[in-house]
Amino acid sequence: MHNSDTDLTNSNLTNTDLIYSNPKAQVKDFAFDAQVVEVFPDMISRSVPGYNTIIDTIGHLSQQFVQENTAVYDLGCSLGAATLAMRKGIKVSASNIIAVDNSSAMVERCKMHINAFKGDTPVEVIEANIQEVKIDNASMVVLNFTLQFIEKSERQALITNIASGINKGGILVISEKISHGDSVIDEHLVDLHHNFKRANGYSELEVAQKRTALENVMRTDSVEQHIERLTNAGFSHVSPWFQCFNFISFIAIK
């Protein structure tokens, strides 16, 4: 399969992530702004274990689940890695992909990247709040490391809205950073993740400042909370399919 992340990383659309390499007097809350957009492919490949496997598998799942005359949604699409993987995987005609992000900088760069690769399936990139997007006639929806940035009190409504717009037999793929509620396990998984980042060239300063930047904007759930939420929304079949350290991906089939 064509690896869209490799193309992202090797293209002239990205640079090395040095955002947290110098000491900051005050570390601001993390935001998907123009500075992050410039380094996002490098940042995510060095920060999220298994990211390429998740993207490639989303492409494989699109081969299996996307049906003719249905819509596909990539909610929180960032630079479009999942969208590109699905467009390459989709084998049916008369389907379309709707890629949504609320960051204008991400949307602008995503459009450039999507347009740089040819594909038979039409893609529409929209700047919008994913909570306000009506999901309709969908055979596949992707939430790839997106839900964790939504207020916890609003997550069930979002998942329920997605479920209501997915056709029977359709799939939701949701990838997230998780917590366990067991402080010993959480501590070990966080250590493993930080070691992963160090092995990918991040300094102690970068690891610490990035963690501070995310504290107020990323609030994680447990595996049990995710499964309960998906089940409550009306998905008949729910299971994790991938986990590395405190990063996990679920499939939920209606």
Side-chain angles (χ1 to χ4, degrees):
M1 169 176 279
H2 181 279
N3 191 323
S4 55
D5 285 284
T6 301
D7 293 319
L8 279 166
T9 305
N10 292 341
S11 75
N12 60 5
L13 299 179
T14 188
N15 298 294
T16 302
D17 174 21
L18 299 172
I19 290 175
Y20 299 100
S21 60
N22 295 312
K24 298 179 183 292
Q26 182 178 7
V27 180
K28 296 179 180 178
D29 285 352
F30 184 84
F32 293 97
D33 55 18
Q35 185 183 26
V36 169
V37 167
E38 289 298 324
V39 301
F40 185 74
D42 181 65
M43 175 187 286
I44 201 159
S45 66
R46 292 166 64 204
S47 301
V48 179
Y51 185 74
N52 288 348
T53 297
I54 291 171
I55 292 295
D56 285 348
T57 302
I58 286 170
H60 287 300
L61 288 168
S62 71
Q63 292 180 32
Q64 300 173 35
F65 282 91
V66 176
Q67 301 296 314
E68 199 165 333
N69 297 309
T70 63
V72 177
Y73 293 82
D74 183 3
L75 302 178
C77 61
S78 63
L79 296 185
T83 290
L84 282 170
M86 289 189 290
R87 190 167 69 168
K88 291 198 168 288
I90 292 170
K91 300 304 179 188
V92 298
S93 59
S95 63
N96 65 295
I97 301 173
I98 300 156
V100 185
D101 205 287
N102 66 353
S103 164
S104 57
M106 280 289 187
V107 167
E108 181 182 352
R109 189 61 64 92
C110 181
K111 288 178 178 178
M112 290 171 56
H113 193 65
I114 297 297
N115 291 338
F117 296 91
K118 294 180 179 178
D120 296 330
T121 302
V123 175
E124 182 182 9
V125 185
I126 300 171
E127 181 183 343
N129 181 341
I130 63 169
Q131 295 166 271
E132 298 172 1
V133 173
K134 180 175 173 53
I135 309 300
D136 186 46
N137 187 33
S139 54
M140 183 167 183
V141 177
V142 171
L143 271 174
N144 211 30
F145 302 105
T146 301
L147 190 67
Q148 59 202 21
F149 294 104
I150 302 293
E151 288 290 337
K152 282 199 172 190
S153 62
E154 300 170 3
R155 292 177 188 179
Q156 184 66 65
L158 173 60
I159 297 300
T160 300
N161 176 54
I162 291 169
S164 68
I166 293 182
N167 300 335
K168 186 172 177 54
I171 189 172
L172 168 64
V173 181
I174 175 168
S175 310
E176 289 277 288
K177 188 176 183 181
I178 55 168
S179 54
H180 281 262
D182 180 325
S183 60
V184 174
I185 295 295
D186 276 330
E187 183 179 345
H188 282 296
L189 291 179
V190 167
D191 283 346
L192 287 168
H193 178 225
H194 287 173
N195 285 335
F196 170 85
K197 295 177 79 170
R198 293 181 192 106
N200 282 328
Y202 283 117
S203 66
E204 294 296 333
L205 177 67
E206 288 173 296
V207 170
Q209 291 192 144
K210 177 72 172 294
R211 186 175 189 178
T212 300
L214 285 168
E215 275 178 350
N216 294 325
V217 294
M218 181 195 291
R219 296 182 177 88
T220 54
D221 290 320
S222 68
V223 172
E224 292 76 16
Q225 286 172 309
H226 280 292
I227 291 174
E228 181 181 10
R229 187 182 293 127
L230 291 162
T231 303
N232 289 343
F235 288 101
S236 301
H237 310 280
V238 178
S239 178
W241 69 268
F242 174 90
Q243 183 174 352
C244 186
F245 312 144
N246 46 358
F247 291 81
I248 195 164
S249 190
F250 300 86
I251 53 172
I253 302 170
K254 185 125 174 237

